[in-house]
Amino acid sequence: MIRQYRHTVAHQKGSVGKSTMALNLALCFQVQLRVALVDSDLQGSIYHVKDDFPELAILSSEQIGDIPNLNYDLIIVDTPPYLSNKLTELFNFSDFVLIPTKAGFFDIMTIRSTLALVKFSQAKNTHLDFPVTL
């Protein structure tokens, strides 16, 4: 059996490229893996363009609870641009958290809250990994 990987793209600030990165990663990996992209942002930017990518499984925010039972090799989760209790739940499902950012002062400052949530989730999910390159 192939191990399933669950990656979450998160940042408290909007307009840092989370959705773009999540979509591009999913499209890139789908060449070799069965990939699902979960748009957990209620705004639904990715979910609204799902018809433009018929070969990619794009799931809505209502399907977050199904993540542990999905039958894909890789699940990539795009998150909303604000802190919510859903982030902790998503981090608990995740193997890896990617926190994209721009080089702006306020972009860097808002990472602290996202990093604190990831560290909190690592206490429950010892498999959760994320690189810090600030």
Side-chain angles (χ1 to χ4, degrees):
M1 182 175 150
I2 295 177
R3 185 186 188 304
Q4 182 184 77
Y5 293 93
R6 301 174 191 147
H7 295 351
T8 300
V9 182
H11 194 301
Q12 172 185 348
K13 191 168 183 314
S15 300
V16 295
K18 290 183 303 293
S19 297
T20 300
M21 183 169 289
L23 179 61
N24 285 327
L25 286 170
L27 291 170
C28 180
F29 282 114
Q30 79 170 357
V31 174
Q32 298 176 353
L33 301 170
R34 292 174 301 127
V35 178
L37 177 55
V38 180
D39 186 355
S40 70
D41 186 353
L42 295 177
Q43 181 180 351
S45 299
I46 292 176
Y47 190 74
H48 292 318
V49 298
K50 70 179 184 147
D51 292 339
D52 295 328
F53 304 98
E55 69 286 353
L56 180 62
I58 298 178
L59 310 175
S60 70
S61 60
E62 288 84 29
Q63 295 169 285
I64 290 174
D66 298 335
I67 290 174
N69 302 316
L70 294 175
N71 188 21
Y72 293 92
D73 302 320
L74 174 62
I75 299 168
I76 298 174
V77 181
D78 179 39
T79 60
Y82 49 83
L83 293 179
S84 76
N85 36 352
K86 284 286 182 199
L87 281 183
T88 303
E89 178 184 355
L90 293 170
F91 293 163
N92 288 339
F93 290 150
S94 299
D95 299 299
F96 186 83
V97 175
L98 179 63
I99 306 172
T101 193
K102 294 179 181 177
F105 175 77
F106 294 108
D107 299 282
I108 300 295
M109 295 304 295
T110 57
I111 287 178
R112 291 179 181 169
S113 299
T114 306
L115 290 174
L117 278 179
V118 172
K119 289 178 183 178
F120 176 79
S121 291
Q122 281 183 313
K124 291 183 179 181
N125 179 358
T126 58
H127 299 288
L128 178 59
D129 190 19
F130 71 103
V132 177
T133 55
L134 296 179

